[in-house]
Amino acid sequence: AMRTDSKLALESIERPSRLWKGQTGVDLAVLGGCGSFVEKCCPEALDCRWTGDIHPYRQILGLYSTVFLCLCSCGLLAPSLCVFRHPPRAEALRAPAQKMKI
């Protein structure tokens, strides 16, 4: 699914499983010691977890430069520099670090 629709693949691997007590595919891979799977198939999922509502790939100056400038300005430049992700409509697909509501 990653080659044809990366958004669908990301939502699928981040969807909590009822069978595994709410664990996501990434969580299960980490707990199972499948480091090569996580390294090859989950970098985008991990980036989205770490960045929360900030879109990790669509920053004008790059993610690290944008975060650094926002921190140096005490957050005053954040509204003009940061590109935020829209949260998913389904609560089950919300990443653990996403706080924004629809």
Side-chain angles (χ1 to χ4, degrees):
M2 186 64 156
R3 290 185 184 141
T4 58
D5 189 353
S6 63
K7 185 176 178 183
L8 178 64
L10 182 62
E11 288 176 355
S12 298
I13 203 159
E14 282 293 326
R15 182 174 292 138
S17 170
R18 288 187 216 152
L19 179 64
W20 295 100
K21 299 180 184 176
Q23 298 287 331
T24 66
V26 176
D27 295 333
L28 292 173
V30 170
L31 291 172
C34 299
S36 62
F37 173 79
V38 173
E39 186 178 328
K40 278 194 257 179
C41 303
C42 304
E44 188 174 339
L46 295 175
D47 289 344
C48 289
R49 279 189 180 199
W50 282 101
T51 56
D53 288 329
I54 298 173
H55 199 295
Y57 304 115
R58 293 192 184 157
Q59 300 306 319
I60 297 166
L61 302 172
L63 180 62
Y64 298 114
S65 303
T66 301
V67 171
F68 179 74
L69 286 174
C70 289
L71 288 173
C72 289
S73 69
C74 297
L76 295 175
L77 295 177
S80 60
L81 286 179
C82 292
V83 177
F84 293 95
R85 290 187 294 156
H86 296 290
R89 295 202 182 276
E91 189 69 30
L93 297 178
R94 185 178 303 278
Q98 270 189 307
K99 305 295 182 201
M100 197 178 345
K101 302 279 184 190
I102 289 182

